[in-house]
Amino acid sequence: MENMYDLIIIGGGPGGIGSAVEAKVLGLPKVLMIEKTDNHSNTIRKFYKDFKRVDKDWQGQEVELEGNVEFVDGTKESTLDYFDKLLDDEIIDSRFNCAVEKVVKEDGIFHVYSGCGVDRAKAVIVSIGRMGKPNKPSYKIPPSLRPQVNFNLDKCNMGENILVVGGGDSAVEYACELSQENSVTLNYRRDTLGRPNPTNKEMIAKHSDDGSVRLRLGVDIESLETEQGKVKVNFTDTPEVFDRVIYAIGGTTPKDFLKSCGITLDEEGEPIFDENYESEVEGLYIAGDIAFKSGGSIAIALNHGYRIVNHILSKNGA
């Protein structure tokens, strides 16, 4: 059975929630939010440790909230509680455990195909994150080491000898945070850390200078193996043994999914959109993490929703 909506939002993170709330507050009557996991804000639930700080802004960059969502800095728990309240207070249709397969525009109407059937809408916002699946190394991780090899900070203990692998913002942030209670080495295959933002570059330089994080740059990893219950890391030069290895080697833009939604990509595989966050297909928008290459900001994602809904309403003559 097909249902007709004014707006369908794909993705239940901050950008999706913000878009849904703004749509209802600003006067779009029928809104549906579709999320492939079993609850909203999956990235925060999955990748943030309990009580981890959740900032409104990205790395100290102050962004003024423009819309009707009054988000402030908090913890993982307070952030999830706040988004729960927004969804509870607003009358928004939402579907969880519902993966969208494709979006097709026919005769001016979008048909959104998912595991829950087909829904129709006048406009669609794609607000998916970049962290859905962390990148994994090309070499095999031995099954016996899986408890000691992680892709986030969830299972870290205190007093461990930890190797963090990666050269981006997440790797630097993980290494610096873990160094408060652990012995930490940061490994990146290139000779320099060129990818992190300026704040993180300054932070890792300080941690390196004071010896709290040891940098192991310009060497790659060939394989992992078990050694007396620990992780033996076979670097391209000299092997070393660690209690735990954490990979922070990023996640790729979900190009195939964007293409299946009808969104065109540039030469680098990034979605093409204009100043209103509208793709080359009229009425099809991009919001949240997927709309910018560098670090995600909850404030920016919320503003995306506000601006997009206003653009939809302006086209409707509202």
Side-chain angles (χ1 to χ4, degrees):
M1 178 182 173
E2 292 188 6
N3 298 306
M4 184 68 185
Y5 291 89
D6 295 295
L7 173 65
I8 290 178
I9 299 156
I10 301 170
I17 294 168
S19 298
V21 172
E22 297 293 357
K24 296 302 292 187
V25 171
L26 295 171
L28 280 176
K30 202 163 185 196
V31 179
L32 172 66
M33 186 178 77
I34 303 176
E35 164 60 34
K36 66 180 179 181
T37 67
D38 61 1
N39 212 329
H40 67 82
S41 310
N42 183 61
T43 296
I44 294 174
R45 290 178 198 279
K46 188 172 181 180
F47 292 97
Y48 281 58
K49 286 180 71 173
D50 290 348
F51 307 109
K52 177 177 169 61
R53 179 184 173 88
V54 178
D55 294 329
K56 172 177 77 74
D57 298 313
W58 176 63
Q59 295 301 332
Q61 172 192 11
E62 291 190 20
V63 176
E64 203 68 37
L65 286 168
E66 301 167 5
N68 297 285
V69 179
E70 297 177 357
F71 186 80
V72 295
D73 295 344
T75 62
K76 171 182 177 179
E77 288 72 18
S78 70
T79 300
L80 294 175
D81 286 347
Y82 179 67
F83 286 145
D84 278 340
K85 184 174 183 296
L86 288 178
L87 291 175
D88 288 344
D89 286 354
E90 303 298 332
I91 305 167
I92 297 162
D93 286 345
S94 55
R95 297 215 185 114
F96 296 101
N97 291 315
C98 191
V100 172
E101 296 153 10
K102 63 179 179 177
V103 177
V104 179
K105 189 176 186 183
E106 295 175 357
D107 299 324
I109 298 295
F110 292 97
H111 298 253
V112 179
Y113 295 81
S114 72
C116 303
V118 182
D119 295 284
R120 295 181 300 151
K122 298 172 186 175
V124 170
I125 299 175
V126 177
S127 183
I128 57 174
R130 292 174 178 264
M131 290 179 67
K133 287 187 178 179
N135 287 341
K136 296 190 176 180
S138 55
Y139 45 86
K140 184 180 178 183
I141 297 172
S144 61
L145 290 177
R146 282 178 188 158
Q148 295 143 279
V149 175
N150 311 121
F151 296 88
N152 53 41
L153 304 184
D154 280 351
K155 298 177 182 176
C156 297
N157 299 313
M158 293 188 291
E160 291 187 322
N161 181 18
I162 298 175
L163 175 69
V164 177
V165 181
D169 286 300
S170 293
V172 166
E173 290 166 9
Y174 285 0
C176 294
E177 182 171 339
L178 288 167
S179 70
Q180 297 173 38
E181 305 285 356
N182 302 276
S183 173
V184 177
T185 300
L186 176 63
N187 163 243
Y188 186 48
R189 66 183 186 279
R190 301 190 189 279
D191 292 320
T192 57
L193 293 167
R195 288 168 49 207
N197 65 65
T199 304
N200 279 342
K201 282 182 181 175
E202 186 179 337
M203 181 169 67
I204 192 62
K206 286 180 182 175
H207 280 70
S208 174
D209 290 344
D210 68 19
S212 55
V213 174
R214 170 180 166 242
L215 296 182
R216 190 90 153 76
L217 305 180
V219 291
D220 216 337
I221 297 172
E222 294 178 338
S223 64
L224 303 183
E225 57 185 283
T226 304
E227 183 168 297
Q228 297 179 343
K230 296 192 176 185
V231 186
K232 182 180 180 183
V233 179
N234 294 313
F235 291 104
T236 45
D237 52 9
T238 310
E240 290 188 47
V241 177
F242 298 87
D243 297 316
R244 186 175 304 281
V245 176
I246 298 173
Y247 288 97
I249 50 180
T252 56
T253 303
K255 300 175 188 177
D256 291 340
F257 180 75
L258 292 172
K259 287 178 182 175
S260 71
C261 291
I263 294 169
T264 48
L265 309 178
D266 63 19
E267 291 178 355
E268 296 179 357
E270 297 291 332
I272 297 171
F273 54 92
D274 64 15
E275 68 277 7
N276 299 305
Y277 308 99
E278 191 171 26
S279 73
E280 294 187 321
V281 178
E282 187 179 359
L284 180 59
Y285 296 85
I286 317 282
D289 280 3
I290 205 68
F292 42 87
K293 295 180 184 179
S294 57
S297 161
I298 289 176
I300 292 174
L302 294 171
N303 284 346
H304 285 174
Y306 177 70
R307 293 174 190 174
I308 291 169
V309 171
N310 273 299
H311 188 249
I312 292 170
L313 290 167
S314 71
K315 291 203 297 184
N316 293 346

